[in-house]
Amino acid sequence: MYTVTIAAILQRLISARVGRILLCGIMVAMAAVGASAQVPDSIPPPVTVSEQPLAPGDVIRLSFWREPDLNGEFTVDETGMVVLPLLGPRNVTGVTTTELKRRLTQDYGQQLVNQDVQITLLRRVRVLGAVNDPGLYHVDQTMSLGDAIALAGGATDRGKLSDIRIFREGKEVFRDLDVNAQIAEQIRSGDQINIPEKSWIALNSGTLAGALITGTALILSYVVISR
């Protein structure tokens, strides 16, 4: 009887302990689910391609209405700094394009009275492949891929302008683009615009067609003579 009582007591203690452990586990799991379901208000919306901050090698082009001596193109250095007339060094790292334009417009408004400044942000890209002058170029957000290709001397006769490809950090991110695709929707700083060459069949379609016509004519002539 004494043994049964001790066993019963131990069983109750063990059951209570297991119950508490299970209850704690359930509460922790529920808290984790609740935390994952809540989205903090402080998380900013994703930055679009056109809003991506400038990178080293990019350029800020300034054009002043009444102060042409201040006009020029100013390059972002390897640390993300750019030296601007009247304003001096500025760090553009992490600043979206819209915010950067707003800040510069405001700062120049404080420096110059009754003065308008046109600010154009240029991204450095590579234009490679079947173009006449491949290399590094600066493009702005108003341009199309066709405009960027024109900077590189235009496509060669072998260029396939219906299958333009974009490479980013060594990986292909877009393909099958045409010359009407907009820079603002596709291109980030440092991207590579590649114009592939047409296939052998496409390049020799005229020759193949001529050969086919000639061959057909010869066959018909042979058939007529044989009769």
Side-chain angles (χ1 to χ4, degrees):
M1 186 67 180
Y2 179 79
T3 303
V4 173
T5 302
I6 295 296
I9 293 173
L10 289 175
Q11 185 176 5
R12 290 183 181 180
L13 290 174
I14 292 173
S15 299
R17 184 178 181 184
V18 172
R20 286 195 298 270
I21 293 174
L22 290 176
L23 181 59
C24 290
I26 293 172
M27 293 177 66
V28 170
M30 291 178 65
V33 172
S36 63
Q38 295 177 357
V39 179
D41 296 335
S42 60
I43 295 179
V47 178
T48 61
V49 172
S50 62
E51 286 291 295
Q52 289 290 327
L54 296 184
D58 291 345
V59 165
I60 298 177
R61 177 188 293 160
L62 300 178
S63 179
F64 296 86
W65 177 39
R66 294 180 178 176
E67 300 287 344
D69 292 341
L70 300 178
N71 295 349
E73 294 185 351
F74 307 91
T75 304
V76 181
D77 68 15
E78 67 278 6
T79 66
M81 300 292 294
V82 58
V83 181
L84 302 174
L86 299 181
L87 302 182
R90 287 297 178 91
N91 190 332
V92 299
T93 303
V95 184
T96 64
T97 55
T98 298
E99 178 62 16
L100 178 59
K101 283 187 174 183
R102 187 194 67 79
R103 292 182 186 180
L104 295 181
T105 301
Q106 182 180 28
D107 292 344
Y108 276 117
Q110 295 174 354
Q111 294 286 339
L112 301 170
V113 179
N114 297 326
Q115 173 64 266
D116 291 329
V117 56
Q118 182 178 358
I119 303 170
T120 306
L121 306 181
L122 306 174
R123 299 188 184 277
R124 187 176 67 171
V125 299
R126 291 177 175 84
V127 185
L128 303 177
V131 292
N132 290 301
D133 193 13
L136 287 171
Y137 294 93
H138 288 95
V139 297
D140 68 63
Q141 301 296 294
T142 66
M143 297 172 64
S144 66
L145 291 182
D147 296 329
I149 295 169
L151 292 177
T156 66
D157 294 338
R158 305 175 69 89
K160 187 178 181 182
L161 295 177
S162 60
D163 187 22
I164 301 173
R165 303 175 184 184
I166 308 298
F167 290 84
R168 183 172 300 149
E169 298 178 352
K171 298 180 180 180
E172 185 179 275
V173 292
F174 293 106
R175 68 183 315 171
D176 296 329
L177 299 175
D178 62 23
V179 294
N180 297 314
Q182 294 300 303
I183 293 290
E185 300 172 359
Q186 316 291 345
I187 300 299
R188 292 185 183 180
S189 303
D191 282 358
Q192 174 183 313
I193 302 172
N194 186 274
I195 294 81
E197 292 189 349
K198 298 175 183 176
S199 65
W200 184 89
I201 294 177
L203 290 171
N204 296 276
S205 57
T207 302
L208 291 174
L212 180 61
I213 293 173
T214 301
T216 302
L218 290 174
I219 293 173
L220 291 175
S221 298
Y222 176 78
V223 172
V224 171
I225 293 173
S226 299
R227 291 181 179 179

